[in-house]
Amino acid sequence: MSFPKSLFLLLLLLPTLTWAQQRPAARPATPATPPQGQRIELLPGAGKLVGGTFNGVEIRKIIGNVSFRQGTTLLYCDSAYQYTERNALEAFSNVRIIQNDTITITGNRGTYDGDTRKARMTGNVTMRDPRMTLTTQLLDYDLNQNLAYYSTGGHLQDPENTLDSQFGYYNTQSKVFSFKRNVKLVTKENNIDTDTLQYNTVSKIAYFFGPTRIRGKQGNLYAENGTYNTITKVSNFARNARIETPNYLLGGDKLFYDEARQYGVATGHVSMTSKKDNLVIRGDVGRYWRTQGRAKVYGSRPVMRNISDRDTLYLTADTLVSVEGRPPQNKAGVIYAYRKVAIFRADLQGRCDSLTYDRQDSVIYLSHDPVLWNQRNQLTADSIQIQQRRGQIDQMRLYGHAFSIGQDTLLNFNQVKGRYMVAYFRDKSIKKIDVLGNAESLYYALEGDTAVSGVNKSLSATMALRFADSKLQTISFLTNPEASFIPPNELKPEDAKLKDFRWRATERPTRRQTLGKHFAPPAKPKKKAAPVKKKTVSARKTTPKKPASTKPKSTAKPAQK
C-alpha cells in the first residue's frame, strides 16, 4: 500500500510539533546578562565564502567585495573574518564604515563587535563627516555613545582650521572634539598651543582648560581657561589671562579680546606693563584699544610704578590712561591721570586733580589745585610743571599764584610767593628759587638755630633766593625792592603769614597710601610654633637636684640626718 507524499511528511513532523507545544517557555535573561545586539548581516555579492574552525573558533572567511550591515551602519572591505558565535568580525584592506550616511571611517584593518557596537580601525585611519576630516593611526568608535577616540596622535582639518593632539575624543552627535596633550590649533590668523581643548566643529568655538598660548600677527594671548571663537576672533579668557603686543603686556583675572576690533577688556588684578621704560599700571579694570595705542585702567585707585635709574615714582588716581608714543616725536608715550591724583617718590610727594606725564622728555604737568612737597618745603600754584633729568628733579615751574612754604628747625614757616616761580634742584633739594612778578617773602632770622631774632619781610617785582643744606642763604632783590625787619617783640600774628598762606601737611601722601592694595607687600607667613620637646626619663636612678629657689615649697620640716 502506498501513502501520499504529503501525508508522509506530516507524520514525520508531527512529533516535533507536539514537543514544541509541550516545551515550557524560556526564562527571561537575568539582568547580569548583557543585551545582545542586532545580528551583523552579510550582504549578497561577496566573491568567495569559506566556513570552518580556525584556532578553535568557528568563523567564515569572506573574500572579495565584502559588505555587512547592522541597522543603519554599513561596513565594506576586501576580505573579512565573521565570528558566527559572538556576532563580531574582522575586516582587512580598504575597510570602510558608514553610519547614517554622514560618518565615514576608513583604514587598513578593522574590528567590529555587533553586540557592544564598538569598532576599532587601524592603519592610515580617516574619519569624515560633512564638517571635518580626522586622520590617525588607531581609532576606537563606540556607535552606542556616538564617541570616537584616539591615543596615538591625530590630525583634524576643517575648512577654516587644523588641529593636532596626542589624545582626542569626538562626539559625532554633538559635533564636539576633546583634545589632550600637545594640542596645536592653527587658524588663518593664529597658532594656538594648549594642553586641554574642546572644539565645536559646528560653532567653531574652542574651549581651553589649561595653559594656553595664542600667537598671531597682531600680538599674543595667554590664559589658563576660556574660549576662542575661530570665526569672530573673539576670546574670553580667565585665570592669569594677558595680551602681549610689541610694546605692552595687559593682563588680569579675566580677559575679553576682540581681534577684529583690536579691543580688549581685563578685569580683576589688572596689570599693564610698558616694555620700553619699566612702567607698570595696576588696577581692577583695564581697557585696551590697540589701533589707538591707548589703554585705560580704573577701579580701586589704580597705581602706576615707574622705575628710573635712581628712584621709583608711584602715581595713583581714580583713572589712569596710557597712550603709546608715535615715533619719531614721542616714542615713549604719555600717561594721563585724573581725579584725586597722588604721587610719591622718596624726594617728592604731591596731589592734584589732573596730571600728565610725558615719558619722552620726563616732564610732569599738574593742574587743578596742585601741591608738592620736597623735604620740608611745600609748593603750590594754579599749575605746576616738573622737569626731570636722569631720573631726578631738575626744575619746577609754578604758574599763577605760586607759593612756597618751608619749615625751619624751630618749625617757623618761611614763605615766598609771586605770580610765576621757578625752583631749581640739585641732589634732590631746592638750591634756588626765582620769583617773577609781585614777589613777596617772609623769612625768620635765627640765632644759632635756637632762637628767633626777627622776621625779614620783602617786596619786589622779582627776587632770587639761594639755599644751602635746605636753609636760606641769600635773597636778591632785582627790581624796586622794599624790605623791613620786625623784632620778635613787635611781631603780630598777622605779620607771621603772607596772604593766601595755607599749610597742607595733613594732605601729604605716604608711600603706603599711594601704593594702595595693588602694590601691597605679600603677607608674611605666620611662623609655626616650635614643637615642645618631650623630656626623656632615664631608666637609671640619679640623685635629684636641689631646687633653684631657696624658699621652702612646704611647711614640712626636712628629715634629720
Side-chain angles (χ1 to χ4, degrees):
M1 182 181 296
S2 63
F3 293 92
K5 189 174 181 180
S6 58
L7 181 59
F8 177 75
L9 291 174
L10 179 61
L11 292 174
L12 289 175
L13 293 173
L14 186 59
T16 305
L17 294 173
T18 304
W19 178 82
Q21 292 175 355
Q22 295 176 352
R23 188 179 60 180
R27 295 180 180 179
T30 60
T33 304
Q36 297 295 310
Q38 183 180 354
R39 297 295 298 177
I40 301 174
E41 177 186 359
L42 175 64
L43 300 180
K48 183 178 179 182
L49 190 150
V50 179
T53 302
F54 297 89
N55 296 325
V57 180
E58 290 189 8
I59 65 171
R60 53 180 179 175
K61 294 182 180 180
I62 306 101
I63 303 172
N65 196 28
V66 182
S67 57
F68 294 95
R69 174 188 291 165
Q70 187 189 47
T72 58
T73 303
L74 297 172
L75 185 147
Y76 302 93
C77 59
D78 290 345
S79 62
Y81 292 166
Q82 185 177 18
Y83 298 89
T84 57
E85 293 182 355
R86 56 185 180 91
N87 195 25
L89 59 86
E90 288 186 64
F92 308 95
S93 185
N94 297 316
V95 182
R96 185 168 82 257
I97 297 176
I98 301 175
Q99 184 186 20
N100 299 326
D101 294 327
T102 56
I103 304 295
T104 301
I105 305 173
T106 61
N108 296 337
R109 181 171 178 174
T111 61
Y112 181 67
D113 189 315
D115 291 341
T116 62
R117 299 194 70 210
K118 291 182 179 180
R120 166 169 285 190
M121 196 77 76
T122 58
N124 299 316
V125 181
T126 300
M127 182 178 190
R128 292 185 178 89
D129 71 7
R131 294 177 178 83
M132 65 86 207
T133 299
L134 170 67
T135 56
T136 183
Q137 289 300 311
L138 188 151
L139 182 73
D140 290 295
Y141 185 33
D142 188 331
L143 282 76
N144 286 328
Q145 301 292 329
N146 296 305
L147 186 65
Y149 46 96
Y150 60 87
S151 58
T152 57
H155 176 80
L156 170 71
Q157 186 164 2
D158 65 18
E160 289 81 21
N161 314 293
T162 63
L163 196 149
D164 295 89
S165 70
Q166 183 65 34
F167 300 95
Y169 302 84
Y170 180 48
N171 190 312
T172 59
Q173 187 171 13
S174 65
K175 308 301 180 185
V176 173
F177 259 106
S178 298
F179 303 96
K180 283 189 68 66
R181 193 174 298 177
N182 299 325
V183 183
K184 298 182 182 297
L185 173 61
V186 179
T187 72
K188 295 178 181 179
E189 302 292 336
N190 301 292
N191 293 336
I192 303 172
D193 296 293
T194 185
D195 182 70
T196 304
L197 178 147
Q198 281 189 353
Y199 179 62
N200 191 312
T201 59
V202 179
S203 66
K204 310 298 182 184
I205 296 177
Y207 302 82
F208 305 101
F209 302 96
T212 303
R213 290 172 175 84
I214 300 180
R215 298 178 176 88
K217 299 176 182 178
Q218 299 180 359
N220 300 328
L221 296 174
Y222 173 86
E224 297 174 6
N225 186 278
T227 65
Y228 175 68
N229 191 315
T230 62
I231 301 297
T232 64
K233 307 297 187 297
V234 172
S235 306
N236 278 287
F237 283 158
R239 268 197 304 224
N240 299 322
R242 59 179 180 261
I243 307 171
E244 183 177 7
T245 70
N247 297 325
Y248 281 93
L249 182 65
L250 174 65
D253 293 340
K254 295 182 180 180
L255 175 64
F256 165 88
Y257 188 66
D258 188 331
E259 192 173 319
R261 296 165 54 200
Q262 297 189 45
Y263 168 70
V265 180
T267 56
H269 296 93
V270 172
S271 176
M272 190 195 74
T273 303
S274 173
K275 299 179 180 179
K276 293 181 180 180
D277 44 13
N278 294 322
L279 185 144
V280 179
I281 298 177
R282 294 181 182 176
D284 281 352
V285 181
R287 298 182 183 274
Y288 179 57
W289 298 264
R290 188 178 179 192
T291 54
Q292 303 175 20
R294 181 169 174 263
K296 177 180 177 181
V297 183
Y298 55 95
S300 295
R301 300 281 295 169
V303 181
M304 181 204 78
R305 181 186 67 189
N306 187 201
I307 301 174
S308 63
D309 294 337
R310 301 186 181 185
D311 212 336
T312 301
L313 172 66
Y314 293 97
L315 166 65
T316 183
D318 289 347
T319 303
L320 298 176
V321 176
S322 174
V323 179
E324 296 179 16
R326 302 294 182 182
Q329 291 85 2
N330 192 359
K331 296 180 181 179
V334 180
I335 297 291
Y336 299 95
Y338 48 91
R339 303 294 179 272
K340 301 178 182 178
V341 181
I343 61 175
F344 181 90
R345 206 167 72 172
D347 60 337
L348 180 69
Q349 300 84 45
R351 288 189 184 276
C352 64
D353 205 51
S354 180
L355 179 147
T356 301
Y357 177 23
D358 189 334
R359 290 179 288 136
Q360 175 66 19
D361 51 17
S362 298
V363 174
I364 301 175
Y365 303 88
L366 299 91
S367 60
H368 296 83
D369 194 25
V371 53
L372 292 170
W373 292 272
N374 169 255
Q375 297 180 1
R376 290 177 175 235
N377 300 295
Q378 173 186 291
L379 300 106
T380 59
D382 293 342
S383 62
I384 301 176
Q385 175 183 313
I386 304 172
Q387 297 181 3
Q388 301 179 84
R389 179 182 294 178
R390 298 177 181 176
Q392 289 192 353
I393 302 172
D394 183 56
Q395 293 182 24
M396 282 188 192
R397 297 180 177 269
L398 287 73
Y399 301 95
H401 300 93
F403 207 126
S404 172
I405 306 173
Q407 277 191 314
D408 61 18
T409 54
L410 299 181
L411 303 182
N412 298 305
F413 294 109
N414 297 317
Q415 305 156 50
V416 181
K417 62 179 292 188
R419 188 167 56 244
Y420 172 67
M421 190 181 296
V422 182
Y424 301 88
F425 287 74
R426 186 184 302 166
D427 298 328
K428 301 183 180 182
S429 299
I430 296 176
K431 294 301 177 182
K432 180 184 176 183
I433 294 179
D434 289 338
V435 187
L436 307 175
N438 302 328
E440 296 182 54
S441 68
L442 186 154
Y443 270 83
Y444 285 80
L446 303 182
E447 295 180 358
D449 293 339
T450 59
V452 176
S453 61
V455 173
N456 290 296
K457 295 189 72 172
S458 307
L459 293 174
S460 178
T462 59
M463 67 174 64
L465 300 88
R466 286 175 172 81
F467 300 82
D469 298 326
S470 300
K471 297 178 182 179
L472 178 67
Q473 296 296 308
T474 62
I475 300 179
S476 301
F477 306 99
L478 305 179
T479 309
N480 302 323
E482 292 182 15
S484 62
F485 180 80
I486 305 173
N489 58 338
E490 298 180 10
L491 185 64
K492 299 177 183 179
E494 58 269 21
D495 295 329
K497 296 179 182 178
L498 297 179
K499 186 181 178 181
D500 300 325
F501 172 91
R502 185 182 172 196
W503 183 244
R504 302 167 63 177
T506 57
E507 301 177 39
R508 191 171 189 169
T510 64
R511 186 176 186 273
R512 180 70 271 147
Q513 290 171 345
T514 308
L515 268 60
K517 70 175 185 179
H518 301 295
F519 284 95
K524 294 182 179 180
K526 294 181 179 179
K527 294 183 179 180
K528 294 183 179 180
V532 179
K533 294 183 179 180
K534 295 183 178 180
K535 296 181 179 180
T536 56
V537 180
S538 176
R540 186 174 54 187
K541 290 185 179 180
T542 59
T543 304
K545 295 181 179 180
K546 295 181 180 179
S549 175
T550 57
K551 295 181 180 180
K553 293 185 178 180
S554 66
T555 56
K557 295 181 179 181
Q560 296 181 355
K561 293 183 180 180

